[in-house]
Amino acid sequence: MPATSRVDVQTFLDEHPFSPFQWLIFGLCFVIVLLDGFDTAAIGFIAPSLLKEWGVEKSALGPVLSAALFGLAAGALFSGPLADRLGRKVVLVGSVLVFSIACLASAFATNLTELTVLRCVTGIGLGAAMPNAVTLLSEYCPQRLRATMTNLMFCGFPLGAAFGGFLAAWMIPQWGWRSVLLLGGVTPLILTVGLVVILPESVHYLLSRGASVERVRNVMRKISEAASEVSQFVMLEPEHAEVTKRVNASGIGMVLSPVLRAGSLMLWIAYFMGLVIFYALINWMPILFKDAGLNPQTATLISALFPLGGVGAVFFGWLMDRFNANLIIAVGYALTAVSIFFIGQAAGQVGLLMAAVFLAGVLMNTAQSSMPALAAAFYPTQGRATGVSWMLGIGRFGGIAGSFLVAEMTARQLSFSQIFAVMAIPGAIAAVALVVKQFVGPGRSSDKGIGAAVAAH
């Protein structure tokens, strides 16, 4: 490569093998998302123990179960614009530190009010971490692997939630429910040190902020020594040329611009509806199964099969990198609606219930885990962190709605099958939203003309 070469940073990533350095970035982001899933779902798995130890009614758990979700929404909504302004790494490290300390403090709560406040603070950190992990990883991936790797990383969330269920079933009888929160706080606290030392800033972000070529080259050299011979790095993004030509804005201004507004709305609706299902079931399935006649340990173990199904997102990522991503995920949500309905028909049959929960989890979590990759590809660099985080943040209100929805249905004494029939409806709505996005978004083919951000020599 001649020493005077001018190279597009994404082309450089596309033309070189996925390096050990990129795998390291993937690993760090995967662990962040894994711990996010663990800490988010932990409250659902310790809920039956809270009911017993503190002697409270099930209805009193509503604020505790949803407190983290309010924090998740707030954290996601403010972290995206901050990351587009200050950088992905700074916000990511700060968010992991916040949720680790807050989760650790939650283990020492003495009443529902204290636990509710601490879960809200935990949620702020969790909500800020997820979108920035997605954004940072996607900006280090070659185009051919972007959805696959992002979805593989996002599998950490349901795996973390499932791991939390299995650990809770083992830890709570021996050490009590506080031990689960202690583990969920200490582990990310240790991870924070590794993030500060090892994790790089996104080169796409550095270029968008006019960073020196030497700073960009130092990072790219860890991917391939060929970067040493590059005299100028640029960021072209031809797939977003139509948007960047028509929108002279960054952050939320780009996300809500006329050319992206309809697509953004459809992303929000789909993710919102997916989280209505996810949080309603992850928070309430142990209690619903216990009320249906299962013993608490069996109810917890079967519930843990639901988030475990998210590993199917890797296959969807492969499909998304090759075919129409909107329609692939829409099919996933449509099948989710059918499978959730069938959970309600399996009451009293443990074997069939286990199979139904696992199948629903595969479909539901595969579709939901694919959404951040879809959003990351939809937005240009100048609005990517905001776009991903606002989809996740607004979606969190779906989690809040889902938790209260099941609480209301149990208060109205709906049957087991009726509750799951109602929970199937959001899956159908999400599928429709993505079909609409396919036809209302900006041009899907590469546009003529490009806009470039340049690292000067």
Side-chain angles (χ1 to χ4, degrees), residues 202-213:
S202 161
V203 288
H204 283 74
Y205 171 80
L206 292 176
L207 285 168
S208 72
R209 291 294 170 174
S212 69
V213 68

Side-chain angles (χ1 to χ4, degrees), residues 67-137:
L69 299 179
F70 282 103
L72 285 162
L77 291 173
F78 82 75
S79 71
L82 273 181
D84 280 329
R85 184 177 297 271
L86 303 178
R88 285 57 161 133
K89 178 178 178 176
V90 172
V91 177
L92 190 53
V93 171
S95 63
V96 174
L97 184 61
V98 168
F99 81 69
S100 62
I101 293 173
C103 186
L104 193 60
S106 298
F108 301 96
T110 59
N111 55 61
L112 283 177
T113 301
E114 289 179 9
L115 186 59
T116 299
V117 172
L118 288 169
R119 287 301 296 172
C120 184
V121 177
T122 302
I124 291 173
L126 294 171
M130 176 74 76
N132 284 289
V134 170
T135 301
L136 182 63
L137 178 65

Side-chain angles (χ1 to χ4, degrees), residues 385-411:
T386 299
V388 174
S389 66
W390 271 61
M391 181 192 76
L392 296 179
I394 290 173
R396 299 297 186 181
F397 290 104
I400 297 167
S403 295
F404 281 105
L405 176 61
V406 178
E408 180 63 22
M409 287 191 287
T410 57

Side-chain angles (χ1 to χ4, degrees), residues 199-259:
L199 193 69
E201 181 55 88
S202 161
V203 288
H204 283 74
Y205 171 80
L206 292 176
L207 285 168
S208 72
R209 291 294 170 174
S212 69
V213 68
E214 191 58 37
R215 185 177 179 187
V216 176
R217 187 190 290 124
N218 286 340
V219 178
M220 299 301 287
R221 192 183 290 124
K222 296 176 182 179
I223 296 172
S224 173
E225 276 299 323
S228 301
E229 302 178 12
V230 177
S231 63
Q232 188 180 50
F233 281 102
V234 298
M235 184 176 65
L236 304 179
E237 296 193 332
E239 71 275 19
H240 295 299
E242 176 187 337
V243 175
T244 53
K245 283 191 301 181
R246 294 170 60 184
V247 182
N248 184 24
S250 62
I252 194 61
M254 176 167 283
V255 171
L256 295 179
S257 63
V259 68

Side-chain angles (χ1 to χ4, degrees), residues 23-75:
W23 278 112
L24 178 61
I25 296 170
F26 168 83
L28 290 171
C29 291
F30 180 87
V31 174
I32 291 170
V33 176
L34 182 83
L35 293 172
D36 193 324
F38 181 95
D39 282 356
T40 300
I43 193 68
F45 293 122
I46 69 176
S49 298
L50 286 176
L51 291 173
K52 181 179 179 181
E53 181 176 323
W54 287 350
V56 296
E57 296 295 325
K58 285 188 295 183
S59 58
L61 284 180
V64 176
L65 293 175
S66 60
L69 299 179
F70 282 103
L72 285 162

